[in-house]
Amino acid sequence: MLTVMIFVFLIGYLCIALEHPLKVNKAGTALLTGTILWVLYTFAAPDLIPTASAEEFKEFLDAYPAIADLPFVEQCTRFVVEHQVLDSIGEIAETLIFLIGAMITVELIDAHGGFMFITNRIKTNQKKKLLLLVAFITFFMSAILDNLTTSIVMVMLMRKLLGNYKERWVFGSVIIIAANSGGAWSPIGDVTTIMLWVRGNISSSSTIPHLILPSLVSMIVPVLIMMRFLHGKVTPPDAFTYNENDELLKELKTKEKLSILILGVLCLIFVPIFKTITHLPPFMGILMGVGILWIYTELMYKRDIVNEDLKLRLSKIVRRIDGATLLFFLGILLAVDALRCSGVLTNFAFWLDETVGNVYAVNLIIGTLSAVVDNVPLVAGAIGMYPVATDAIIATATDPTYMANFVQDGIFWQFLAYCAGVGGSMLIIGSAAGVVVMGLERINFIWYLKNISLLALIGYLAGAGVYILQNVVLGL
């Protein structure tokens, strides 16, 4: 049955990767794959649980003595349905609720013209200076917001500044690299870092200082190489209209747009602080921020004389959220959790440990794979393969020194956040930022492969080298 489950997962993954040629939305494929895998696992549970979840199964039976009197097959079914499925959904829901809150916050800022305060202040038309400026803005904006939204905002800016589509392709490629690098060092900058942070594998206080320099190097090295081939001034567009037909932005006062930008960004920045102070899950902090923004915008519209049809209350903003993306995450995380519970991921982890046996090499392999396939299931798979090591796990491990790499904020989890985030830049389809820029600017896959992939690889390895240097040589 394990072979069948792996085959179903690979077929589902292939269909997700070939979403555009097949013209089948990847969310539907992910949901179907995830549910089929749980069905298969449920039927195979009596054979798999004794080896994959023996201790957990025993604790479940001890907690519910009435179930212990049932036939073994029914015990296994109850264990899967009443324990493993609910645990899986609970962990997935934490990530999805956080993403929903973050997406609402960012969409609210964008809909009210908040990001224009950033984009309208870029005046230079020198290619080299503009490229460096765009890279740094994208890098730090992605760490505060998320790489997907940042990429959209920055591409819209490039359309305002650049008239030549080939120039926009170059700048768009830099946006992809900078957005992925910027999202890797922040707990709220990328879906993968959010997953690791929400599940307790990394913390903001340790991740930021350890990953900011490697991430910065992974961005700046390709940019500096690109700058050597850029000369002169950019070609301005013949005509440009930005939100010209948006009647709401014409009606809103400048201070109102700015206030929503500041309040929204503060709500996002507040989430790590909230978690540190209250020890509650991050999704509670982001929901508090959404509530604050909701009340603020209601009060703002109450005193503003704006046509009701134009008002973008938060209840309208919710409808703009990309539900298909959220369902894709749900489906793929369900699929990965089914493989985790069945023992497939644990076996794969053992194989990696025996074959490779080095946390740096394992993560570099995962990062390289993230350029080909989506980094979300890769990170979800790694979380399933390697549980966060506790003192008890380390004490009973065959190699306690090696297992110590898997504690919270251990080398494995921090380097995974870097590799999975930055590695996706090596191909334009390897990250959400790459896919959205490719779609908006119609960047050719082969053009990116020939002109940008090698630069992204150099940056990826350079940043990885800095992280390894920090830990192995400097002991930071």
Side-chain angles (χ1 to χ4, degrees):
M1 186 61 78
L2 285 180
T3 304
V4 176
M5 291 180 68
I6 294 172
F7 179 75
V8 169
F9 181 77
L10 292 176
I11 292 295
Y13 216 109
L14 182 63
C15 292
I16 290 170
L18 299 176
E19 174 189 20
H20 296 294
L22 294 176
K23 293 181 172 55
V24 176
N25 192 291
K26 63 182 179 181
T29 305
L31 287 171
L32 184 60
T33 303
T35 50
I36 289 176
L37 286 175
W38 273 103
V39 170
L40 293 174
Y41 171 60
T42 302
F43 284 119
D47 297 324
L48 299 178
I49 286 175
T51 55
S53 310
E55 291 186 14
E56 193 179 356
F57 182 57
K58 183 179 181 301
E59 291 174 1
F60 175 75
L61 294 180
D62 291 341
Y64 300 96
I67 297 178
D69 296 330
L70 298 173
F72 179 68
V73 173
E74 192 170 345
Q75 288 177 357
C76 292
T77 303
R78 296 283 290 272
F79 174 66
V80 172
V81 174
E82 298 179 14
H83 178 68
Q84 290 185 312
V85 170
L86 294 181
D87 273 4
S88 175
I89 288 294
E91 291 179 356
I92 293 169
E94 286 191 29
T95 302
L96 292 182
I97 292 172
F98 183 91
L99 285 174
I100 291 170
M103 291 167 72
I104 289 172
T105 302
V106 171
E107 187 67 38
L108 190 71
I109 296 171
D110 187 43
H112 290 84
F115 294 123
M116 294 173 65
F117 289 95
I118 300 172
T119 57
N120 288 347
R121 277 164 174 73
I122 300 177
K123 304 297 182 182
T124 183
N125 60 1
Q126 296 291 329
K127 288 182 181 179
K128 291 185 178 181
K129 186 176 179 180
L130 181 61
L131 189 75
L132 196 61
L133 188 61
V134 166
F136 274 96
I137 290 175
T138 306
F139 181 82
F140 288 104
M141 188 187 295
S142 178
I144 298 173
L145 305 179
D146 66 87
N147 52 10
L148 180 62
T149 304
T150 300
S151 300
I152 295 171
V153 172
M154 295 307 295
V155 166
M156 295 307 163
L157 168 65
M158 290 303 98
R159 290 183 177 179
K160 180 177 182 181
L161 300 174
L162 305 172
N164 185 295
Y165 78 95
K166 280 295 180 69
E167 290 178 353
R168 290 205 304 272
W169 281 13
V170 173
F171 279 77
S173 301
V174 169
I175 288 170
I176 295 169
I177 293 172
N180 288 332
S181 296
W185 63 274
S186 167
I188 60 174
D190 186 87
V191 175
T192 53
T193 55
I194 290 172
M195 289 166 58
L196 290 167
W197 182 48
V198 167
R199 299 197 180 195
N201 301 80
I202 61 174
S203 66
S204 56
S205 59
S206 180
T207 300
I208 293 173
H210 280 87
L211 290 186
I212 185 170
L213 184 57
S215 298
L216 186 62
V217 169
S218 71
M219 179 272 292
I220 202 168
V221 167
V223 170
L224 290 177
I225 296 174
M226 284 187 199
M227 287 174 64
R228 296 185 58 189
F229 301 97
L230 294 179
H231 305 282
K233 298 180 179 180
V234 298
T235 306
D238 295 330
F240 186 86
T241 56
Y242 186 71
N243 286 322
E244 187 173 271
N245 298 321
D246 195 330
E247 296 297 328
L248 175 63
L249 295 184
K250 293 179 182 179
E251 295 290 338
L252 288 177
K253 300 180 180 65
T254 300
K255 65 178 183 180
E256 292 171 335
K257 300 174 187 176
L258 183 60
S259 67
I260 290 179
L261 171 65
I262 294 173
L263 185 60
V265 172
L266 286 176
C267 286
L268 290 170
I269 296 173
F270 175 69
V271 175
I273 302 172
F274 174 88
K275 184 179 186 294
T276 302
I277 294 173
T278 65
H279 303 290
L280 288 169
F283 75 85
M284 297 291 285
I286 200 69
L287 290 180
M288 177 182 282
V290 171
I292 292 170
L293 283 169
W294 199 324
I295 293 172
Y296 177 80
T297 51
E298 291 290 330
L299 294 175
M300 182 186 75
Y301 282 131
K302 185 177 180 181
R303 65 175 180 266
D304 261 356
I305 306 174
V306 179
N307 190 305
E308 185 62 35
D309 293 336
L310 297 177
K311 293 178 181 179
L312 286 174
R313 300 181 186 274
L314 201 138
S315 54
K316 291 184 179 180
I317 294 295
V318 171
R319 301 171 193 167
R320 298 187 177 192
I321 298 302
D322 188 356
T325 298
L326 294 171
L327 289 174
F328 165 70
F329 290 142
L330 173 60
I332 202 68
L333 292 174
L334 279 173
V336 170
D337 268 1
L339 294 181
R340 175 181 59 82
C341 292
S342 67
V344 171
L345 298 183
T346 303
N347 294 335
F348 183 63
F350 287 147
W351 180 83
L352 279 177
D353 290 342
E354 292 174 2
T355 308
V356 181
N358 182 284
V359 289
Y360 298 110
V362 169
N363 274 318
L364 286 171
I365 292 171
I366 292 174
T368 303
L369 287 174
S370 74
V372 181
V373 296
D374 195 280
N375 57 5
V376 172
L378 285 176
V379 172
I383 293 173
M385 288 190 296
Y386 302 97
V388 178
T390 60
D391 291 340
I393 292 175
I394 294 173
T396 57
T398 306
D399 187 351
T401 303
Y402 180 74
M403 187 56 62
N405 294 313
F406 296 89
V407 299
Q408 184 185 41
D409 293 321
I411 290 172
F412 179 83
W413 301 118
Q414 286 185 351
F415 201 39
L416 176 64
Y418 169 84
C419 291
V422 178
S425 300
M426 287 186 280
L427 290 177
I428 198 167
I429 61 170
S431 65
V435 171
V436 73
V437 174
M438 181 185 186
L440 290 173
E441 287 298 329
R442 301 291 187 268
I443 297 178
N444 186 280
F445 176 88
I446 301 299
W447 179 91
Y448 189 95
L449 181 66
K450 291 169 60 177
N451 296 280
I452 307 298
S453 291
L454 180 59
L455 301 181
L457 173 62
I458 293 171
Y460 170 66
L461 294 177
V466 170
Y467 182 81
I468 295 171
L469 179 68
Q470 286 179 170
N471 287 277
V472 177
V473 180
L474 302 179
L476 297 178

